Amino acid sequence: MSCVLVKNGENRALVVIPENASPFEKIAADLVVRYIYSGAGVKPEIVTESVAKYCLSRGDDKQCIYIGNTAALKNRNLPVRHGRGGFTVKEADGDLFIFGHGRCGVIWAAQAFLEKAVSYKFFAADEIEYDKTDVVDVTGYDFYFTPSIENRASGFFAASKDSVYATGLKAMTRFGGLADGSPFFGTWNEKISCHNHLTILPPDKYYKDHPEWYDSKKNQLCLTNPQMRDEFFKNLIEYFKAYPNQTHFLLGHEDNEDVCECERCRERAKA
């Protein structure tokens, strides 16, 4: 069965997202629609699966582009050949399935689809190329990809704060915020990401009773102090509990030149 999404200016597609689509599935759907419109001049409608089912039941002759973890994907029982951080784009029985692992895998899949369908190329937020075309024929599309490193630029993003650029490069698993305005941290937790020892064990709370846990300037922890380590890991566990959806927590000492001057730390430094 063929799967032609656009032909001679006629839209033949519905972009279908799950009933409770994630922010990332919505981003992927918006991306697909934006560049099908840019390249082929038609703008497919984004609908939920229940709406798509209703439209098709009334005889609407449309091909479905299923985005993310849809019920249709599960019902078709398509093989998942990609690994962690990977994605799949597959045409099956006249419909197209775009899906991936983790939060951003579906965005990577949408980009890969557009690269093939309209020669989409991302260079920067204001430097994106694509071809004009009269036909978007995805018959036989069947490709998948697994990166060798799942999260490919955590340090880059922490420094730049540029979600669009990082996403365009298929580099990060964080993008923007949730609908209620709260931050969406993806797999990396920014609240305690990097240079966070004093966030986990703040001097304002502990120094008065435990000055031996810190250097003389209160700028670093005394990492050789066993009591400090016990409290540190107790607090760290509470952070883990507070962010149950996070998969990565990056720990690191404070970003300065100070060190603990206690005898144990000096001996450890010599070793």
Side-chain angles (χ1 to χ4, degrees):
M1 182 180 294
S2 65
C3 185
V4 181
L5 305 179
V6 178
K7 187 172 183 179
N8 298 328
E10 177 190 358
N11 172 46
R12 298 183 174 188
L14 284 175
V15 176
V16 185
I17 58 176
E19 296 299 319
N20 297 306
S22 72
F24 292 85
E25 289 167 330
K26 293 177 181 177
I27 290 166
D30 287 340
L31 192 66
V32 166
V33 169
R34 185 184 317 143
Y35 287 99
I36 286 180
Y37 178 67
S38 298
V42 301
K43 196 170 186 178
E45 184 180 4
I46 299 175
V47 299
T48 62
E49 285 193 275
S50 59
V51 173
K53 186 176 180 180
Y54 174 74
C55 293
L56 296 174
S57 70
R58 297 186 61 188
D60 196 343
D61 185 21
K62 289 286 196 298
Q63 316 296 138
C64 290
I65 306 174
Y66 289 102
I67 305 287
N69 293 318
T70 58
L73 175 63
K74 299 171 186 174
N75 292 338
R76 298 289 180 93
N77 198 30
L78 298 180
V80 177
R81 292 171 293 176
H82 60 257
R84 295 185 63 85
F87 58 79
T88 293
V89 177
K90 181 174 178 59
E91 182 262 320
D93 301 323
D95 294 319
L96 188 69
F97 293 84
I98 296 175
F99 60 102
H101 168 264
R103 293 172 173 85
C104 248
V106 66
I107 298 179
W108 309 157
Q111 290 175 309
F113 156 69
L114 292 168
E115 287 165 4
K116 187 172 178 63
V118 296
S119 299
Y120 169 93
K121 296 182 182 67
F122 180 95
F123 300 100
D126 58 352
E127 188 67 34
I128 298 172
E129 292 184 358
Y130 51 86
D131 288 346
K132 294 288 188 178
T133 181
D134 293 326
V135 178
V136 178
D137 185 346
V138 300
T139 305
Y141 273 29
D142 184 7
F143 54 91
Y144 63 97
F145 174 75
T146 300
S148 57
I149 301 173
E150 180 183 355
N151 195 309
R152 295 174 286 285
S154 58
F156 154 76
F157 186 75
S160 72
K161 303 294 182 185
D162 191 337
S163 302
V164 174
Y165 187 56
T167 299
L169 296 180
K170 303 187 184 78
M172 269 303 296
T173 52
R174 176 190 186 274
F175 195 106
L178 294 175
D180 63 3
S182 60
F184 193 95
F185 293 120
T187 58
W188 289 90
N189 187 300
E190 290 191 341
K191 183 174 178 60
I192 58 167
S193 67
C194 192
H195 310 309
N196 48 29
H197 281 183
L198 299 187
T199 301
I200 298 168
L201 216 64
D204 290 348
K205 179 177 180 180
Y206 290 101
Y207 186 80
K208 180 179 178 180
D209 295 326
H210 301 284
E212 73 279 7
W213 290 2
Y214 303 86
D215 75 305
S216 60
K217 295 180 183 179
K218 296 186 285 188
N219 285 336
Q220 297 286 356
L221 294 178
C222 174
L223 299 179
T224 62
N225 187 295
Q227 290 76 34
M228 182 284 296
R229 293 200 300 265
D230 288 344
E231 187 70 12
F232 181 93
F233 287 114
K234 185 178 76 172
N235 288 355
L236 185 59
I237 289 170
E238 293 305 312
Y239 271 108
F240 292 161
K241 292 178 180 178
Y243 297 93
N245 295 323
Q246 304 308 312
T247 60
H248 295 72
F249 289 81
L250 176 61
L251 302 179
H253 60 73
E254 302 307 315
D255 190 10
N256 57 58
E257 296 181 357
D258 295 314
V259 295
C260 178
E261 311 91 344
C262 78
E263 183 177 349
R264 283 193 307 266
C265 284
R266 288 200 305 268
E267 289 299 317
R268 179 63 63 84
K270 291 178 183 178

